[in-house]
């Protein structure tokens, strides 16, 4: 399995990327279309209220403002990805040290 991954890591990453892109496109196409409803409800001119706008979302919930995903889930995903990256990095360092000792 290790040899297969080391030989085909680019293909594996591409397939994973294609799956993610397909999932994103699928979710975007099936998302609820609220822009037209809001345009009909509020009209052409939208007046900002106090505390609204792009800067208010940055302080409290940057992720939920732009993606409608729970910010706690995104934090968990980032920490999980960082942990996996660190583990892979250190295991590759250990493998290099073992290879140099064998030669």
């Amino acid at each position: 399995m290790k040899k297969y991954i080391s030989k085909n890591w680019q293909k594996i990453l591409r397939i994973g990327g294609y799956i993610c892109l397909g999932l994103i496109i699928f979710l975007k196409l099936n998302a609820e279309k609220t822009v037209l409803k809001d345009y009909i409800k509020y009209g052409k001119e939208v007046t900002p209220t106090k505390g609204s706008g792009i800067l208010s979302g940055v302080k409290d919930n940057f992720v939920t403002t732009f993606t409608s995903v729970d910010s706690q889930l995104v934090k968990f995903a980032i920490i999980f990805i960082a942990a996996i990256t660190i583990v892979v990095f250190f295991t590759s360092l250990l493998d290099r040290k073992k290879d140099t000792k064998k030669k």
Side-chain angles (χ1 to χ4, degrees), residues 2-24:
K2 195 172 187 179
K3 289 181 182 180
Y4 177 77
I5 292 174
S6 64
K7 288 181 182 180
N8 299 317
W9 65 271
Q10 289 179 336
K11 292 178 185 176
I12 294 169
L13 289 179
R14 283 185 186 149
I15 290 171
Y18 294 147
I19 291 171
C20 289
L21 282 175
L23 182 64
I24 290 169

Side-chain angles (χ1 to χ4, degrees), residues 61-77:
N61 51 358
F62 176 79
V63 176
T64 55
T65 303
F66 294 106
T67 62
S68 72
V69 175
D70 185 24
S71 61
Q72 295 293 327
L73 180 64
V74 173
K75 289 177 187 177
F76 173 74

Side-chain angles (χ1 to χ4, degrees), residues 3-68:
K3 289 181 182 180
Y4 177 77
I5 292 174
S6 64
K7 288 181 182 180
N8 299 317
W9 65 271
Q10 289 179 336
K11 292 178 185 176
I12 294 169
L13 289 179
R14 283 185 186 149
I15 290 171
Y18 294 147
I19 291 171
C20 289
L21 282 175
L23 182 64
I24 290 169
I25 290 171
F26 176 74
L27 291 175
K28 291 291 181 185
L29 290 175
N30 289 330
E32 184 180 344
K33 313 309 190 262
T34 58
V35 176
L36 187 58
K37 293 176 187 175
D38 291 342
Y39 181 76
I40 292 170
K41 184 176 179 182
Y42 298 113
K44 187 175 181 179
E45 295 181 16
V46 177
T47 57
T49 59
K50 185 178 180 183
S52 68
I54 195 164
L55 293 179
S56 67
V58 172
K59 291 180 185 176
D60 300 329
N61 51 358
F62 176 79
V63 176
T64 55
T65 303
F66 294 106
T67 62
S68 72

Side-chain angles (χ1 to χ4, degrees), residues 78-95:
I78 291 172
I79 291 170
F80 190 69
I81 290 169
I84 289 174
T85 306
I86 290 170
V87 167
V88 168
F89 176 74
F90 282 123
T91 55
S92 67
L93 283 178
L94 291 175
D95 286 343

